[in-house]
Amino acid sequence: FILSERGKEATQRPTTMATTLLRRCVHHPFLGSVTTSAAGATSSSLLGAQHLTARSIRPATAAAAAIASTTANATANANAVAARYMSTDGHKHRNIGISAHIDSGKTTLTERILFYTGRINSIHDVRGKDGVGAKMDSMDLEREKGITIQSAATFCRWKDAHINIIDTPGHVDFTIEVERALRVLDGGILVLCGVSGVQSQSLTVDRQMKRYNVPRLAFINKLDRQGSNPNKVIDDLRNQLKLNAAAVQIPIGLEGDHSGVIDLVEMKSITFHGENGEDVEYGDIPADMEGAVEEKRLELIERLADVDDDIAELFLMEEMPETEDLKAAIRRQVIACSFVPVFMGSAFKNRGVQPLLDGVVSYLPEPVEKPNFALDRSKGEEKVPVTGLDTDSLLALAFKLEETPFGQLTYMRVYQGMLKKGEYITNVNDGKKVKLNRIVRMHSDEMEDVTEAGSGEVVAMFGIDCRSMDTFSDGSMDLAMSSMFVPEPVMSLAIKPAKSNMQNNFAKALTKFTKEDPTLRVRIDPETKETILSGMGELHLEVYIERMNREYNVECIAGQPNVNYKETINRKVEFDYLHKKQTGGSGQYAKVMGYIEPLTEEEQKEAGVANEFDNRCTGTNIPPEYYTSCEKGMGDATTEGALVGCEVEGLRVVLQDGAAHAVDSSDMAFRICMASAIRDAMKRAAPSILEPMMSVEVEIPSEFQGTVVAGLNRRMGLIQSSDMNEDGSGMKIVAEVPLSNMFGYSTEIRSQTQGKGEFTMEYLKHLPVTKNIQEELMAKYREEMEQKQAA
């Protein structure tokens, strides 16, 4: 009979395990079907010789012989399994990320990869009826929403290759997870929907892959769906992403007839059978497809000839390259980021995944083959090539942090040297030495302890207090790995805990979340004193608010942030104010005279202050020691304006004269007098409300120009410039828009541009609001004040 991976158990209980092992093997997902005869003979139908070894035991006439054989084979199998993922010596090594637009099938594809490589024993779908959810979606929120929120790492073995895989989110709100995965990986699989083709997040992922020079394969998924068209998707790759892409497979049938693929390199058909597509059959090309195969193979060779000299030479001599030459050329150009081979299939229907894994091993680079550079901080951050050898000094990058019940889990990519348990490593950024107490390999949310990790490995460890993108070494050199690009947040919410006793947990949650996610920003607005949470979109912020509730038991109240309005005056007004108060004993007496007038922007910049105090008093009507009290009184008056209680700016106060009392005058009396005089004068100085204007930069495909400009006009925006890029495919629009009208714009621009538009904004200046808005704000302020007084 055939041993399962659980042969380890047989070494512990050989007498009782023989029957159990046989029963398990009969239903093992990778070993096909096993039939037993009365004489005890065993035969099996296997999926090639991909990752498990089938052993046939000759019919035994005695039970003792069978058990002895079982024990021997089980011991060997247990040893093999124990070492299976622990070493890559003598084997190929791949670090890959799976990225795509939301709902293109990344997590489903990863689930099949784990199944076919023996890492999991059964398939669970993202929104499966069994309610289990995909292996890589380990967070409860991910399984409820049916989307990936955090990137998840795992590892597997395919044939003679060790593969580290990171499954990334597809939603634009979680783009930082894709960014940091691609920063540390050596290759990627760009998954595309066979129906929708290149979508908005496909463009973002493409930009990220190009930013870090990540070699990639493309996988056109969902070819079983109605309307799937792989030729259109390949055209999209060439036209929209400007990639030199060509198919290395063509599908056998589409939609309901999709049953397999034809390999254009090996020139054979591949079909998938069995309950979960685990039985792969290789055969001849169907006669009715020979014409299409020849045409697509020629197209593949032409595309390669454009970038590869060896193939170009054969092409010009009208010779067809040998299979091995073609494979070598594809590999060379994929690693050079000059060519993208396109694979096809349907992950959900279990078709095309095994050939894709073969492509990962054949075409994507070893860690040492992808050029990586460190920055020598002792030589002005001069670029130094990273060797990628285990024997060199350690260089590792902490690229992701995650809080767990055991403390902070730090994901680290080893670029050269070795990480060994019990040794010390140095944080290059702050010089702190840390002991490695525990090193683990991640399988989604499960951990497997290891004692060491070599160059090219992706591992995680506990007890490392650091920030995302810190570099670690063995202390022998001052090299740092370059950081990653972090996009600016596009949306903000004002948040506060529902109950005051939740404040401590609220602060802990915000500290943890901002440490693990660089795109999540928290600040206290100095004007409104609100806690402002900024992120990449509505879903991004919604997820963190929900996580606060689940993980820290903090219920949050969220709403639009208050806009930082200001007030100013528009004409010169004189004041002559007497403050006199007698309550028995020493009283209060002060008198001030002068005027207030508007301060222009140029004068504000020249003076370096928003409001100016000018003392023009002569003589000692106001004793000199009270001048500072008068200036403080101006500060009190300008913190709260007369219209809506906002800060006042653009005001010059000129003090000309006044009067004092020998007994009743004091610092406090003059401070109150000055504040009251200015407040009274501001009401007569044609006050107005100022609102913050934002400089908004919008980048869109040119076909959406009319829609986007109309949307900005509706938001009271003033278009400043509109520039088209060199090839005419995209536009950059710069506009000035009031901040109060920008709430919800991130959602609007995505819907207007099919998710392809992006915008950034920054504060420009404060400008007066229109008359109707001023009246609305004043009415709202009066209502709030009445409610406060009633309370």
Side-chain angles (χ1 to χ4, degrees), residues 27 120 150-151 153 179 287 295 331 445 463 534 536 598 661 709-710:
H27 301 291
I120 56 176
Q150 287 187 330
S151 55
E179 191 84 33
E295 181 189 335
R331 179 175 175 77
D445 57 341
S534 304
M536 300 306 295
H661 189 276
V709 169

Side-chain angles (χ1 to χ4, degrees), residues 697-755:
E697 220 172 80
V698 186
E699 292 189 16
I700 52 165
S702 51
E703 64 262 30
F704 302 111
Q705 180 186 4
T707 313
V708 171
V709 169
L712 289 170
N713 288 336
R714 276 197 306 275
R715 292 175 179 268
M716 307 296 290
L718 294 172
I719 308 296
Q720 302 298 310
S721 66
S722 179
D723 300 317
M724 192 171 285
N725 62 11
E726 290 177 5
D727 60 5
S729 63
M731 293 204 68
K732 184 199 282 186
I733 299 169
V734 179
E736 292 179 10
V737 191
L739 175 61
S740 57
N741 296 341
M742 284 302 294
F743 295 122
Y745 187 62
S746 58
T747 308
E748 180 182 304
I749 192 172
R750 285 173 192 169
S751 63
Q752 286 176 339
T753 62
Q754 298 171 8

Side-chain angles (χ1 to χ4, degrees), residues 63 104 227 241 250 281 359 377 384 426 444 473 477 620 635 648 687 718:
S104 293
L241 303 186
I250 62 170
E281 287 186 9
R377 305 203 311 176
V384 178
T426 303
S444 186
S473 74
M477 53 190 178
T620 57
V648 179
L718 294 172

Side-chain angles (χ1 to χ4, degrees), residues 244-264:
N244 181 27
V248 291
Q249 297 173 344
I250 62 170
I252 301 174
L254 289 172
E255 301 175 359
D257 300 326
H258 180 54
S259 60
V261 293
I262 291 173
D263 188 332
L264 299 177

